[in-house]
Amino acid sequence: MNAEQWGHNAACANLSSASFNGTQPLFLTDVASCQFWSIVHNDVLLYVSVVLIVIFFSFSLVVNIYLLLGLENSEALSWQPRYMLLKNLIVSDLLQSLTLAPSMLYCLLCRQTLSFGAWCLAQLFVATLVIITSLLTVFFMVLERFVYICHGIHYLSIMTNVRMYICLILIWLLALMVAASRIFLVMSGQPRLGHNIPGFVCEPGVVQVQIVFSLRFEMFNKATMVTFLLFAVFVFSFSYGRMYQEARQALQPFQQDNVCARRTVAFYLGIFVLQLIPSAFKFATMFHEEVDYHLLLVLLFMVPPCVNPLAYGFRNREVRQALQHLRGIRMTGRQPVSDWTLSVSAFSPDS
């Protein structure tokens, strides 16, 4: 981070204290150069930003809590490997929404940026922890489907409860290591504690401005993002590629086209890419630091907690039945299916 860019961001941050204390006027040229204050001093942008955040936050809380209650009250789903991962994803998504949205609303409504201190570091730690946990959980959910489709005979012997608990512990430990490493690099880079940051969420790009020696912090963030992006591409291409081949082989003896499998793979490809868009966008903006993408980046991170419960939960027939049971609606019986139909049905929109 060069001195000129730090000076620009520091000047933007100083507008917060000056405006809040009423010690000096805000000039239009200064306001226009800082994204936060350009939003605050534009009523339309301010209201639109607040409404979008409230919608994302409220929707995420309602659907995730409702889905979590439905899974917890279903004895049939509570201990299945697939739904153990889904519950872990729901918890991390809830924590992600609770970490980002209240801070954004507070800063926009109070027209004041955050101070770089203990709360900011805590927010950076928790946000890093839950975002990485969500990504890793989605990766393991893809691998779980691969085992179910391609190694169905050995599924129960592979996906045991002990191994699933170990998997969940490893997910949180790895995310904890990345989050703790970020905090360590911040503290070892001589942070400028007490300064107002030029934003309303303590994300890595904003925090980096407040570090005197930020090279190690910047390189660590880039290396982490590249690693996760490459691992995501490998996991999806390998797992869904193999599952699609299994579905084709199951249908070829019946001379049927595998339209359902293609559509479902395309759907989950879209959901999987959606998970990676915030991280990929953040990685791309690291090379264009002269442009302020702070609001757009944080809003992108608010999208996956809203989409995940719909894509991985409500589309599933068993989950919908569990939610109906939660509402007190009597369940209807299910027809038995043959083995080859079961293997293909894992690709269906209701699976």
Side-chain angles (χ1 to χ4, degrees), residues 5-25:
Q5 184 177 356
W6 181 88
H8 168 75
N9 286 282
C12 291
N14 289 336
L15 291 176
S16 177
S17 297
S19 176
F20 186 77
N21 298 327
T23 57
Q24 71 180 53

Side-chain angles (χ1 to χ4, degrees), residues 290-312:
E290 67 279 1
V291 183
D292 195 347
Y293 298 103
H294 185 63
L295 177 62
L296 179 58
L297 176 65
V298 179
L299 286 177
L300 284 177
F301 275 109
M302 292 291 296
V303 174
C306 298
V307 176
N308 286 338
L310 301 179
Y312 298 106

Side-chain angles (χ1 to χ4, degrees), residues 24-239:
Q24 71 180 53
L26 294 174
F27 298 100
L28 183 60
T29 55
D30 295 330
V31 172
S33 64
C34 304
Q35 188 192 60
F36 176 82
W37 288 105
S38 65
I39 295 173
V40 168
H41 287 267
N42 186 318
D43 290 339
V44 175
L45 286 177
L46 178 62
Y47 294 148
V48 170
S49 301
V50 171
V51 168
L52 285 176
I53 296 169
V54 170
I55 291 175
F56 288 156
F57 182 52
S58 302
F59 185 80
S60 173
L61 286 183
V62 171
V63 295
N64 279 291
I65 292 176
Y66 181 50
L67 183 57
L68 183 61
L69 291 176
L71 294 176
E72 284 293 332
N73 284 274
S74 174
E75 296 182 1
L77 303 182
S78 182
W79 302 105
Q80 290 188 28
R82 183 181 187 182
Y83 301 109
M84 292 173 66
L85 291 170
L86 180 57
K87 287 191 292 185
N88 193 65
L89 180 63
I90 294 171
V91 172
S92 59
D93 282 345
L94 281 172
L95 291 175
Q96 182 173 330
S97 298
L98 290 170
T99 302
L100 299 179
S103 175
M104 298 175 67
L105 292 175
Y106 171 82
C107 291
L108 289 174
L109 295 176
C110 295
R111 300 170 184 258
Q112 184 181 11
T113 57
L114 294 175
S115 175
F116 185 58
W119 162 246
C120 186
L121 293 177
Q123 187 182 65
L124 174 65
F125 178 84
V126 176
T128 302
L129 178 66
V130 295
I131 289 173
I132 293 180
T133 300
S134 297
L135 290 175
L136 289 175
T137 304
V138 172
F139 297 166
F140 276 97
M141 290 176 72
V142 174
L143 292 175
E144 183 273 337
R145 287 291 88 187
F146 162 74
V147 175
Y148 179 80
I149 298 299
C150 299
H151 302 280
I153 298 177
H154 307 289
Y155 177 80
L156 294 179
S157 61
I158 295 175
M159 309 298 293
T160 62
N161 285 340
V162 174
R163 289 177 179 173
M164 289 307 304
Y165 283 124
I166 294 176
C167 173
L168 294 176
I169 292 174
L170 289 177
I171 288 175
W172 284 94
L173 283 179
L174 181 58
L176 184 63
M177 289 174 56
V178 176
S181 299
R182 273 185 174 174
I183 299 301
F184 173 78
L185 292 174
V186 170
M187 299 306 298
S188 63
Q190 296 185 13
R192 301 181 177 92
L193 298 176
H195 289 266
N196 285 349
I197 65 172
F200 33 74
V201 170
C202 291
E203 51 96 4
V206 172
V207 173
Q208 183 177 315
V209 180
Q210 307 299 326
I211 307 175
V212 177
F213 302 104
S214 61
L215 180 60
R216 290 187 299 173
F217 182 79
E218 181 180 0
M219 295 303 296
F220 176 79
N221 290 331
K222 290 181 179 180
T224 302
M225 290 182 184
V226 169
T227 301
F228 276 100
L229 291 175
L230 292 178
F231 182 65
V233 173
F234 170 76
V235 167
F236 187 90
S237 58
F238 172 77
S239 300

